[in-house]
Amino acid sequence: MSGAEERRRRVKTLRAEQARRQAAAARRRRFALIAAPIAVVVLVIAVMAGVKLTGTSTTGGTLSAASESTLAKVTGVPAETLAKAGAPPPDAKVLPVSGEPPLMQDGKPRIFYLGAEYCPYCAAERWPLIVALSRFGTFTGLGESRSTSDDVFPNTATFTFRSATYSSPYVAFTAVETEDSQGRPLQQPDTADAALVTKLNGPPYVPAEAKGSIPFIDIGNQFLITGASYSPDVLKGLDNEQIADKLADPTGSIGKPVDSVANLMTASICAITGDKPANVCNEPVVKNIRKGLG
């Protein structure tokens, strides 16, 4: 089997697993919609009876703060390291969107992320997304997380946007983590963002077999990313600090895919910011990728 055929086989397998996991998540959401009214009734009765309920929180499990040293390595990957990582592999793509109004917030183009903490594909995709966004602004409140232990690519180390905020003069970023690592309800998109996902996370923009996949990333209504851009398997058995350390090697088994996908995301963000800031968007590797985006 040729290298290209093997890559296609891996991508097909990855997409099939994503679709399976998304179907399971949809079933949980349907159950949640049925159970929610019942829970409300129970809560009202309990309050009236003066009973304190436990174990019914919808705020997810305990959030672990990310260490400063780990964050510094992820949010401060040097430009020269990213340049050496080069362009992403052919299987990593952003999907173009046409005919939609710009996605804006506070006068800036907006990036919207929809994912879940249990999701191993979200776990993998957060790494390059944080690397890329850190070139345009600053994160606070990022927490450490792992994907669920009972699915493919179990316990993939990552971060969570659950309590994070992002500040940038160039772009706005908002994120929704719908469930925690145990599949418990966490956050939900507002009405406008839910409509956005319904409209864009499927044909004609997203292939039918990947419809509804997470992570779903809308880059200013000009580009979409669905699913993982590389296999979460490369992160197997490592913790956040170990992964962060490996981002310094742009040719390694982890640094290469994460850093190069971050370059793809950077070029996509430059496309919606009018190539600002210039010191980032005018880098040769970013400009070359940007040309290929259209």
Side-chain angles (χ1 to χ4, degrees):
M1 181 181 293
S2 69
E5 291 172 335
E6 175 62 19
R7 284 196 300 273
R8 285 193 293 271
R9 184 192 66 79
R10 289 200 303 268
V11 170
K12 184 177 180 180
T13 300
L14 181 64
R15 290 296 185 186
E17 290 290 354
Q18 287 176 299
R20 184 185 67 79
R21 191 63 181 84
Q22 185 63 25
R27 287 193 296 271
R28 284 200 302 274
R29 284 194 293 272
R30 286 195 294 271
F31 174 79
L33 290 174
I34 296 171
I38 299 173
V40 171
V41 172
V42 172
L43 179 60
V44 170
I45 294 172
V47 170
M48 293 176 64
V51 177
K52 181 179 179 181
L53 296 180
T54 60
T56 59
S57 173
T58 58
T59 58
T62 303
L63 181 65
S64 300
S67 73
E68 292 298 325
S69 61
T70 300
L71 283 175
K73 295 169 186 174
V74 179
T75 62
V77 179
E80 55 268 25
T81 299
L82 293 168
K84 290 177 181 177
D91 298 330
K93 291 181 172 63
V94 294
L95 307 173
V97 175
S98 60
E100 296 295 329
L103 188 63
M104 305 290 291
Q105 179 176 310
D106 299 328
K108 295 178 287 189
R110 179 165 77 104
I111 298 167
F112 171 69
Y113 161 95
L114 179 71
E117 291 177 359
Y118 71 77
C119 166
Y121 310 104
C122 306
E125 203 73 356
R126 289 189 202 95
W127 286 94
L129 183 58
I130 292 170
V131 171
L133 282 170
S134 296
R135 309 190 76 186
F136 298 84
T138 304
F139 278 104
T140 56
L142 285 169
E144 291 190 356
S145 181
R146 285 182 179 270
S147 67
T148 183
S149 61
D150 61 359
D151 196 10
V152 292
F153 313 115
N155 299 312
T156 300
T158 186
F159 298 92
T160 173
F161 295 125
R162 183 199 305 191
S163 299
T165 58
Y166 179 76
S167 176
S168 167
Y170 309 104
V171 66
F173 173 71
T174 54
V176 173
E177 303 281 14
T178 60
E179 299 174 43
D180 71 7
S181 61
Q182 303 303 312
R184 294 172 293 202
L186 195 58
Q187 301 170 331
Q188 290 299 319
D190 62 23
T191 302
D193 285 337
L196 188 75
V197 174
T198 299
K199 184 176 184 179
L200 299 183
N201 197 4
Y205 302 114
V206 174
E209 65 271 17
K211 179 181 179 180
S213 294
I214 56 173
F216 169 82
I217 306 171
D218 182 342
I219 303 175
N221 269 5
Q222 290 192 30
F223 304 101
L224 303 176
I225 296 174
T226 62
S229 299
Y230 63 100
S231 175
D233 192 49
V234 304
L235 308 177
K236 182 179 179 180
L238 301 177
D239 61 25
N240 285 56
E241 184 176 5
Q242 291 169 323
I243 296 170
D245 285 336
K246 293 181 181 297
L247 300 185
D249 179 5
T251 62
S253 61
I254 291 176
K256 173 63 176 178
V258 173
D259 291 345
S260 64
V261 170
N263 286 335
L264 173 64
M265 293 176 172
T266 298
S268 304
I269 298 170
C270 286
I272 67 172
T273 64
D275 293 317
K276 297 175 183 178
N279 66 312
V280 172
C281 297
N282 286 338
E283 291 178 359
V285 65
V286 174
K287 290 180 69 175
N288 286 338
I289 297 173
R290 169 87 164 79
K291 291 177 183 176
L293 297 179

